[in-house]
Every structure is written in C-alpha cells, then in structure tokens.
Amino acid sequence: MNLAITGPTSGIGAETVKALNGKFDKIFLLARNKSKCQELIDELYPIGGNDKFEFIPLDLSSLDSVDNAAELLLSQAAPIHVLINNAGGIFPERLETKDGLEMTFAVNHLGHYLLTQKLLPLLEKANGAKIINVSSEAHKAAKPDFKDLQAEKAYKSFPAYANAKLFNILFTKSLAEKFSDKGIYAYSLHPGVVKTNFGNEFSGFFKWMIKLAQPFMIDAKKGAETSIYLALTPNLEKKSGAYFKKSKESKPSKLAESKRYREMLWEKSEEIIEKRQAL
C-alpha cells in the first residue's frame, strides 16, 4: 500500500508519518524542504538503507509546483491508497501567490484541490482509496463571500483561515459525491487545538492569545490521531464525506452541509484552474 502526504515535515504531519511508517510500503513526502524530509527519514531510520520514502517537491502556493508534483507521481504509475492533504497555514497579512491568488485560499484549499484532481487516476487505481483532508473547528466561524474568494475587498487572517477550513469540508463532501462510485472515498477532520509552530508569524494580540491558550492545547502526537484512525480503519466507505473529531464522526456547521455551497466552491475552483490554463 502507498501513502502520499502534504506537510509531512513538522507538527501533526510528521507525527502522522511516524505512526503510519510501518503500515505502508511506499510513502511519498510532498513538501517544500528536502532537507527537513531527510531529517524525518533519518529519525526513523538512523542507519539509512531505507527506500520506502520519496521526496516530492511541492509548494502549494504555486499551481505550477502542484502540477509538477502530480506529474512526478503520475509518471511512476504507482497506485495511491491514501492521500492525506495535511498542509495548511494562517497568514497575518494578505499575501498574493505568483498566480495572483490570496495565500490562505491557495495553500489551504486550491493547491490541494488541484493536486487531488490530478491524482485521481492513481487513487482510482488503488480500488478503495481514501482522501483525508485536515480541516478545523475554525470552519464554524466561516462566512465566505463567493464573489470575493481572494479577499480583495477586505482581509482578516482568522476569517480567511476559517473560510479555507470550511472549503476543506465542502471539498470533501464533493469528492464523496462525485467519486465514491469509482472506489475513492473522502473524509475531513478536526485534529484538535494543537500546540505546534502554527501562528508563529503573528505578533501582538493574536500571538498573545495563542500563548495564553497553549496550556490547554494538545501535542502534535495527539493531534495526529484522527488522521491515523482514518488512514488505517477499514470499512469506512459508508462514512465517505463525513467530518471527524477525536476519531469519531462529528457534525460540522450548517454551511459545511450546504450542497449549494459545495457546488459553488467546486465551480469557482474549476474556473480559476481553467483560466490559468488558458493563459
């Protein structure tokens, strides 16, 4: 069995890889930093000699990079049994990617949307593949404006992040709807409020709030548990499209259940990709 995971070099991504190491024959580490991937591999296999892992360069803020990562995987033609879209980020200021997209939207949603779409042939080949999207309870604060997905009118970091985490759940439900009959199943999850490097870029009030909350946060190992549960638990096909918390199905927000919203998100995401391809 083969696993592909984004954001594997730190936090819950690294803990997920460590826990799943013995369960997969091949693990593709999709990340920006090759040396950090090597550090993770060396921690697991300090004497070397292991060819289980393969680094795949991926910068989710660049659609070209996403294309290239997918093409590398497609060229190997190995089925992907589990794809964990784990990477994400929150940004204190509005930043634009080289594709002209707002960074929070690009890194948390659109990069994974394009990657997953391109990897569908390898997922279908696995016959029972799982797509696991790491979302957050922050999605319950989302108030998306589909006429301003790039937050050009106004940008605030947490609302942008909350919207992106809602999009993770909407995307998951669309995947379940569209591809379950092809043997591809999708799940989203809240990992918990995890004490990692998340939010380190912030200063002032937000950083102070994170510091105050730290004693109540869980560690990355605990935060990885639901991702691990979904990756390893058999017979979850009937739960495809569901949202999980603490390794149990949980009810997301009313917006996350909206068929209209998930159809709008899919359509808008397709439009952005098609417009870029036409350039």
Side-chain angles (χ1 to χ4, degrees):
M1 295 229 302
N2 302 320
L3 165 71
I5 179 170
T6 68
T9 58
S10 63
I12 64 172
E15 293 300 332
T16 302
V17 171
K18 290 173 189 176
L20 295 179
N21 171 41
K23 308 295 183 181
F24 288 86
D25 304 306
K26 186 82 175 178
I27 299 178
F28 298 101
L29 303 173
L30 285 74
R32 289 180 298 174
N33 193 316
K34 186 175 183 177
S35 63
K36 283 188 177 179
C37 283
Q38 192 57 52
E39 285 174 17
L40 175 62
I41 296 165
D42 289 344
E43 182 182 345
L44 291 167
Y45 296 95
I47 59 172
N50 184 277
D51 60 358
K52 172 183 287 191
F53 295 94
E54 184 168 341
F55 169 68
I56 303 288
L58 173 67
D59 178 353
L60 285 162
S61 72
S62 164
L63 296 178
D64 282 344
S65 175
V66 176
D67 277 337
N68 292 337
E71 290 302 324
L72 266 175
L73 286 164
L74 288 164
S75 69
Q76 300 195 31
I80 294 176
H81 298 83
V82 177
L83 169 63
I84 304 180
N85 291 321
N86 166 79
I90 185 169
F91 305 94
E93 298 173 354
R94 186 183 184 279
L95 303 171
E96 277 198 4
T97 70
K98 69 175 188 177
D99 299 297
L101 303 171
E102 190 276 311
M103 187 70 75
T104 316
F105 174 81
V107 169
N108 291 280
H109 168 65
L110 197 69
H112 283 132
Y113 173 89
L114 179 59
L115 179 69
T116 305
Q117 287 269 61
K118 296 203 75 166
L119 295 181
L120 285 172
L122 301 182
L123 291 159
E124 190 173 350
K125 199 173 178 180
N127 190 25
K130 296 177 179 180
I131 300 165
I132 299 167
N133 296 318
V134 178
S135 178
S136 167
E137 284 286 270
H139 84 274
K140 291 181 176 176
K143 294 179 181 177
D145 179 354
F146 283 92
K147 293 180 180 177
D148 187 30
L149 282 176
Q150 306 312 318
E152 292 172 304
K153 293 177 187 173
Y155 176 83
K156 289 185 179 178
S157 58
F158 184 76
Y161 178 74
N163 288 344
K165 294 293 104 180
L166 172 67
F167 296 160
N168 295 153
I169 301 174
L170 293 171
F171 178 46
T172 300
K173 290 186 177 295
S174 287
L175 289 168
E177 226 172 30
K178 293 174 185 291
F179 302 109
S180 288
D181 63 345
K182 294 186 176 180
I184 299 172
Y185 307 98
Y187 313 91
S188 60
L189 68 103
H190 170 58
V193 183
V194 183
K195 187 176 180 180
T196 64
N197 295 326
F198 186 83
N200 272 4
E201 303 87 351
F202 284 81
S203 58
F205 180 74
F206 194 86
K207 189 159 191 174
W208 179 71
M209 288 294 288
I210 292 173
K211 192 171 183 180
L212 278 182
Q214 280 186 348
F216 308 99
M217 293 178 177
I218 60 175
D219 62 22
K221 191 171 184 178
K222 188 80 176 168
E225 285 181 357
T226 304
S227 294
I228 296 160
Y229 166 81
L230 290 169
L232 296 180
T233 303
N235 305 318
L236 286 178
E237 293 85 357
K238 289 182 180 177
K239 301 284 188 182
S240 188
Y243 173 68
F244 285 77
K245 184 168 65 171
K246 295 182 179 178
S247 301
K248 293 178 181 177
E249 187 175 356
S250 181
K251 191 168 179 61
S253 71
K254 190 175 178 181
L255 290 185
E257 301 278 16
S258 169
K259 183 175 175 65
R260 177 172 160 266
Y261 268 43
R262 65 178 176 262
E263 287 176 348
M264 286 170 66
L265 178 65
W266 191 279
E267 185 180 312
K268 292 285 186 184
S269 302
E270 279 291 286
E271 279 178 16
I272 295 168
I273 300 298
E274 286 172 8
K275 191 179 288 185
R276 165 182 164 268
Q277 288 171 341
L279 294 176

